[in-house]
Amino acid sequence: MMERPNVEDAFEAVIAKMPEYLQELKNCDIITKDSEGRFSPSFPADKGIYVFYEDEKPMYVGRSDRLNQRLRQHGLPSSNHNSASFAFNIAREEQLQKVSNEMICTKTDDSIERFLKLRKSSRTKLEKDPEFQGLFIEAKQRVRNMGIRVVEIQDPIEQTIFEIYAHMRLNTPFNSFENH
C-alpha cells in the first residue's frame, strides 16, 4: 500500500515558496507594449502570475496558463466583463465613486436609490448601462497602457495561492475574489 504524503507538510512547502515568488516578481523587468502593440520584452513564460502596474504602483494580480492571450484580453475594446475583469473593476469603482459623490452632495432620495441600485447591479446589467459602457471603454484603454510583471509558476495550486498572497502583499486595489 502506497503511503500518502503528509498534507500539512506539502502545504507548508508551498507556502514557503511564496516569498521567493514575490521577490522574483519584484525583480523582473516591467513589460510594456511597443508602438505596434506587441509586448516588449516578450513574456518569459506562458503560465504564471501577472501584475499590472500603473506609475510603478501594483494595481491588479491575475493568473493564466495563456499569458499572452490573457493579458491582451484585459484591454481589448471588444472584451466583456469576464475577459476584461480588471477594467470592469476599475469602471465599477469609478461609477460608484461618481454616484457616491452625487449622493453626498445632493442627499436626495433619487441619488441614494441610484447608489443602492448600482451596488446591487449584476455585471451583465452594468455592461448594458450607457454611462458604465463609457467608463468601461476608458478603463480598458487605461489597462492597455499599463506595465506588467510576470513570474512563471507552473503548478496550478501554487498559482492559486500566490495570486492571493501577491494581492495581499502588494495591496492591489482592483482585485476582487468575490464570485460573479
Side-chain angles (χ1 to χ4, degrees):
M1 183 173 190
M2 230 172 103
E3 192 174 316
R4 290 182 61 196
N6 182 318
V7 174
E8 288 180 24
D9 290 343
F11 184 75
E12 290 301 320
V14 169
I15 295 301
K17 293 179 182 180
M18 297 301 113
E20 296 169 26
Y21 284 139
L22 186 63
Q23 194 57 50
E24 185 180 339
L25 179 77
K26 288 179 175 180
N27 290 340
C28 80
D29 293 331
I30 288 188
I31 299 166
T32 58
K33 287 188 178 175
D34 63 20
S35 60
E36 295 178 18
R38 293 181 306 236
F39 292 109
S40 178
S42 61
F43 297 114
D46 197 37
K47 291 183 179 188
I49 299 294
Y50 56 89
V51 179
F52 279 97
Y53 285 80
E54 187 172 53
D55 300 325
E56 298 184 32
K57 182 181 179 342
M59 303 297 284
Y60 181 85
V61 180
R63 69 187 191 105
S64 180
D65 288 340
R66 304 167 283 110
L67 283 170
N68 198 345
Q69 180 183 357
R70 180 68 189 111
L71 290 165
R72 287 186 194 289
Q73 287 175 329
H74 273 288
L76 283 175
S78 61
S79 289
N80 66 15
H81 68 88
N82 287 322
S83 54
S85 51
F86 174 29
F88 183 89
N89 291 347
I90 291 172
R92 179 179 232 166
E93 182 63 31
E94 287 180 8
Q95 189 172 31
L96 279 170
Q97 191 63 48
K98 276 174 88 173
V99 173
S100 176
N101 289 342
E102 175 187 306
M103 182 181 69
I104 291 167
C105 291
T106 65
K107 295 180 182 152
T108 65
D109 288 344
D110 283 347
S111 64
I112 294 168
E113 187 178 318
R114 186 170 175 232
F115 178 78
L116 294 174
K117 186 177 177 183
L118 177 61
R119 298 266 314 161
K120 295 178 185 177
S121 291
S122 71
R123 294 169 71 94
T124 305
K125 190 172 183 178
L126 270 177
E127 271 190 316
K128 294 175 183 172
D129 177 83
E131 181 181 355
F132 183 82
Q133 287 174 355
L135 293 171
F136 192 30
I137 289 167
E138 290 172 12
K140 287 185 272 190
Q141 177 61 46
R142 181 176 165 190
V143 169
R144 279 194 298 276
N145 293 324
M146 291 184 188
I148 304 161
R149 283 197 168 108
V150 173
V151 62
E152 179 179 9
I153 301 176
Q154 294 290 325
D155 183 82
I157 292 171
E158 290 178 17
Q159 281 182 9
T160 302
I161 293 171
F162 185 68
E163 180 181 19
I164 295 167
Y165 178 83
H167 158 67
M168 293 177 76
R169 294 295 304 219
L170 298 173
N171 196 26
T172 53
F174 290 103
N175 278 96
S176 170
F177 293 96
E178 295 175 12
N179 292 330
H180 54 83

